[in-house]
Amino acid sequence: MRVPRGQQDAQQFWLALLGAVRHAIGADGNADIGEAAPAATPDFDASAMVDRVLSELADARGGVTLVIDDLHELLSPEAPTQLTRLLTSLPPQTHAILTMRHDVRLRLHRLRLTGELAEIRAADLRFSERETRELLDASGIALSDSGAALLHRRSEGWAAGLRLAALSLVGHPDPERFVAEFSGSHRTVAEYLIAEMLERQPPDVQDLLLRTSLLDRVNGELADLLTGRPSSEQVLLSLEDANAFVESLNPERTWFRYHHLFADLLRLELRRTLPEEVPVLHRRAAGWFTVQGQVAEAVRHTQAAGAWADAALLLADHAFSLTLDGQAQTMQALVRAFPPGEDRPELALVRAMGDLVQGRLEQAAAHLAVAETYAATTTPERRRRLGVAIASLRLSLARRRGHLAGVVENVRFLDSPVSGQSDEDIALDSDLRAVALMNLGTAEAWSLGLPDAVRHLREGAVLAREIGRPYLEVGCLAQLSFAYIFHGADTPKLDAFATTQRRCREAMELAERYGWGTEPVIAPALMTLVGTMVWLGEFDEGERWLRRTERALRTDTGPDIRLLLHQTAAMLHAGRRREALEEFGAAEHLASRLEGSWALASQMTGWLLATQARLGLPGEARSALAALDDERAGSGEIHNARAAICLTEGDAEGALGALQDVLGGTTPVLGYVTVVEAHLLAGLAHRELGDQRAANQAAERALALAESDRLVLPFAMTGSAELLEALPRHQTAHAALLTDILDVLHGSSPAAEEQAALPPAEELSPTELRVLRFLPTNLSRPEIAGELSVSPNTVSTHLRSIYAKLQVRDRSSAVKRARELRLLAAGRRTR
């Protein structure tokens, strides 16, 4: 049965339902079955009528399905209570199907808990993308996959909207264009929505829908402001309950949005019926969003109101805050929304920030100069706010140019007390202090100003967390990952690379939490992670992460961050020297654009010269070597490069002479990895001179230094495979590491038969694998716990699990078994 529209009388409903039941079971046409159907009466007893319906259903032969359509039209206040009793008391052979446009207050929770209630709601009725494609195919409409996907997104799977679109698409000369332009203002859709949705609403509800349609999302308070009436939230809740193209956006149901097509129609109707109100409504919305601290939304609505001067002021005043909130891309979109003739001086600061984010340093400096001139002419109140943003920009620009002295000059205020008196001033000072710490620590890290770099970046991260600036915290942690890899790099540091990788992942996890996983801010952590993987010989995994790093830098063309990208790529191509040379050359060119030197300059130049020589270009390498200044030429990395050049020229004695100061510890080196490389070059020189014993000793020293971090890259960079192969396995103290390195250099993995000969072992968890990495060392359990930042009891628990899974009883057996299973050198292949 179908409930008539606006059914107020419960007696009429029950009489119709009883009549439908009797008709279905044949009782109304058979005098032998029960009594005649009752007629309407002034003293109607709904409870007795429910009993009568249940009795008829109980006497029915076979199954009965009770269908009540348009139940939402039943407006009698007492009817739902009696209907609930009917539905919860149905005989076993009876089923009920209820259809309604919105929820009717039936108490069916017990049926829901017992699994006797199936509910099909609006989300279940939406077409999927596949179903949309099937509808188009069945209608004979030829549309590309991208066109079908776009139609599905625009319609949000609304069946009627898709059907209306399909009807219009039949025979259309350009279906792709139709879909691109399809909206709620399309004639057929608009007619349907007006007749079925908008005109069915009371005038005050229609007014609310129209006035709030210019918002992407709305809550009760904002709707009250735009309509000038209270209780808007209740109206929005009722509309959602009625499935009237209104959807809540949060579990608390305080924020709402309109179906895309319905919003299109409402905006069209708003412009048609209340054109003079549109800019006023936008200004009201902008004021509300400004007070709420949602500046980007406020600027959008100010622009929509056509108030371009006010929009420029608002954007400039809050540019610093928007940048710290990670909304640099949003700011640039807002700038692009200004008409060509609105190139106002207030926007110079915003343009400078956008240039800086994208690495356009010269353009940033030019716009900064305009911004500084404009700030000097404005009111004192605005001058303070703009001055903070300009100071921040000066800091970042100096840092990105590699100008450490310029950064230090601009952070002198760090030692001074907070200058402002108001809460806003204090907040601005805190923001600027955090920015200064990040830029200072970054500049120090890039110029090897340690340990100050690590200290300043840690302080910046802590302060950013305290003042609620996650974007700044991510920036500090990402740069800290880069700085930390050099912390104590003069000597081997146990598991330094694993610790650095953990810091990289911590920064990346925080960035992912806020949706910045592929933004330039996280690129230093991504590249540092790739670098550690390459040092450890995990080339395949490193290349995969390098692709993600490139995506993060797709909008950043700055020389500082991109030179690190090129150097990392060159290291990854250690086995493909021509590609490596191109990457080293690109990095060297970018480094020349910086105003100061950077941390890896000597290492990068040394590898560039050595790669040139190994590619048969020793003359070019010698010329570049002669052009270096004395400070650069005196570094251990350049000594190594000179030795590599000598080796390619057949001058083994010259190579040993070049390495003498590095091996003797009398020349500055970037870190112990330079010494590892020097021992390998010395081994190659001794081998050329026919002194195999000295060559073996040099290789053994290199392995001893590389053991703690299990380095692989120096062996690949120097081409030391033959040197290592000549080392007697039974004489070396580093046989497992030697095997791992040769596996990488030859691109091989353990033989299948060797693996098959080993008994199976249960897979270790990621945490157990981290503990396992420490077992080849001499660290005690408390010391391992300190390295992992866990308790000794936790380490003991993991050790017991490791022993059980590896089927061993002690630590040395666990190390032996893990090496047999390649758990200490997994996933490494040469490039």
Side-chain angles (χ1 to χ4, degrees), residues 172-371:
H172 196 283
D174 190 350
E176 301 290 340
R177 179 180 177 183
F178 173 88
V179 170
E181 298 174 351
F182 182 67
S183 70
S185 58
H186 188 270
R187 183 177 57 81
T188 57
V189 177
E191 288 176 356
Y192 181 92
L193 290 173
I194 289 174
E196 295 294 323
M197 299 302 304
L198 190 58
E199 290 183 349
R200 289 190 174 211
Q201 305 300 333
D204 60 326
V205 175
Q206 291 186 36
D207 185 67
L208 180 149
L209 290 170
L210 291 175
R211 290 175 179 274
T212 58
S213 64
L214 49 77
L215 302 165
D216 292 330
R217 59 193 185 110
V218 62
N219 65 8
E221 181 181 340
L222 188 48
D224 288 347
L225 176 67
L226 297 188
T227 60
R229 293 186 300 274
S231 305
S232 296
E233 183 174 77
Q234 294 304 314
V235 175
L236 292 167
L237 287 168
S238 299
L239 288 169
E240 184 186 29
D241 290 340
N243 293 317
F245 288 86
V246 177
E247 178 181 343
S248 58
L249 296 174
N250 57 340
E252 297 79 15
R253 298 179 70 193
T254 55
W255 281 96
F256 303 85
R257 76 169 183 91
Y258 303 148
H259 188 289
H260 292 154
L261 296 180
F262 192 40
D264 291 340
L265 168 72
L266 292 173
R267 288 166 188 154
L268 175 64
E269 286 295 297
L270 176 64
R271 295 195 304 272
R272 186 178 65 82
T273 59
L274 299 170
E276 71 286 349
E277 290 288 323
V278 173
V280 176
L281 294 171
H282 278 297
R283 293 300 293 263
R284 287 182 190 171
W288 188 89
F289 281 117
T290 301
V291 171
Q292 301 300 318
Q294 299 179 43
V295 179
E297 284 294 323
V299 173
R300 287 193 189 97
H301 283 287
T302 306
Q303 290 175 327
W308 300 108
D310 291 344
L313 289 172
L314 186 62
L315 183 55
D317 285 351
H318 294 86
F320 180 55
S321 178
L322 286 169
T323 301
L324 299 190
D325 286 337
Q327 297 192 61
Q329 300 300 325
T330 300
M331 278 202 307
Q332 298 317 303
L334 293 172
V335 169
R336 289 192 296 271
F338 282 89
E342 290 290 338
D343 193 15
R344 310 182 65 86
E346 301 97 310
L347 296 177
L349 179 66
V350 186
R351 296 186 193 280
M353 289 182 171
D355 289 331
L356 186 64
V357 167
Q358 295 179 2
R360 299 194 295 262
L361 305 188
E362 296 307 316
Q363 294 93 320
H367 281 125
L368 178 60
V370 175

Side-chain angles (χ1 to χ4, degrees), residues 22 68 119-120 138 184 295 371 383 431 683 703 705 750 788 810:
R22 290 174 61 83
I68 305 177
E119 298 174 89
I120 302 175
V295 179
R383 191 178 306 137
D431 286 342
L703 287 168
L705 284 173
L788 293 174
D810 55 45

Side-chain angles (χ1 to χ4, degrees), residues 135-136 139 141 151 161-171 178:
L135 173 66
L136 294 171
S139 303
I141 298 169
L151 179 60
L162 286 170
R163 179 58 179 156
L164 292 170
L167 290 173
S168 299
L169 279 166
V170 173
F178 173 88

Side-chain angles (χ1 to χ4, degrees), residues 643-756:
I645 295 171
C646 289
L647 284 173
T648 63
E649 295 172 334
D651 182 9
E653 291 287 358
L656 289 174
L659 295 168
Q660 184 176 356
D661 289 343
V662 181
L663 297 176
T666 59
T667 192
V669 296
L670 179 63
Y672 81 95
V673 294
T674 302
V675 183
V676 173
E677 185 178 300
H679 280 301
L680 292 172
L681 291 168
L684 292 171
H686 286 304
R687 192 165 181 270
E688 286 295 317
L689 293 170
D691 189 348
Q692 190 59 49
R693 182 171 177 274
N696 290 347
Q697 289 176 339
E700 186 73 6
R701 293 189 189 103
L703 287 168
L705 284 173
E707 178 74 59
S708 64
D709 283 319
R710 305 191 69 76
L711 295 183
V712 172
L713 183 64
F715 301 87
M717 294 289 286
T718 55
S720 299
E722 292 183 3
L723 176 67
L724 296 181
E725 287 169 346
L727 193 63
R729 304 292 180 94
H730 63 280
Q731 292 182 6
T732 179
H734 310 283
L737 176 60
L738 174 62
T739 301
D740 291 344
I741 293 172
L742 287 174
D743 281 346
V744 174
L745 297 184
H746 294 310
S748 63
S749 59
E753 58 270 18
E754 180 185 350
Q755 290 280 33

